Amino acid sequence: LQAIKSVKNKSVNDVSLWTFASIMTIGGLWLFYGITINNLPLIIGNSIKLFSSLTVVIIWLKFRKRN
């Protein structure tokens, strides 16, 4: 939802990059754990989390204001 809002408004002023970076880090660790124990729900859920967080980070990089 944050990605859709940011693309519509072409603004990422209300997006915290550090929040989404930490979500990506945590999701990556859980994905690694899910792959290690071969747990499909962990793999699928965290893959979706990583994809959506990465999308927001890419949008943030595209629409951020450069000083």
Side-chain angles (χ1 to χ4, degrees), residues 19-32 46 49-50:
T19 299
F20 284 97
S22 65
I23 291 171
M24 286 177 49
T25 302
I26 293 166
L29 291 171
W30 275 106
L31 177 62
F32 176 74
N46 287 295
K49 180 192 310 185
L50 279 174

Side-chain angles (χ1 to χ4, degrees), residues 12 19-20 28 39-41 43 48 51 54 60-61 64 67:
V12 289
T19 299
F20 284 97
N39 186 313
L40 193 58
I43 295 168
I48 293 168
F51 176 75
L54 182 62
W60 186 88
L61 291 170
R64 68 183 172 177
N67 292 333

Side-chain angles (χ1 to χ4, degrees), residues 47-65:
S47 295
I48 293 168
K49 180 192 310 185
L50 279 174
F51 176 75
S52 62
S53 298
L54 182 62
T55 303
V56 173
V57 170
I58 290 169
I59 291 169
W60 186 88
L61 291 170
K62 182 177 180 181
F63 292 122
R64 68 183 172 177
K65 289 185 179 180

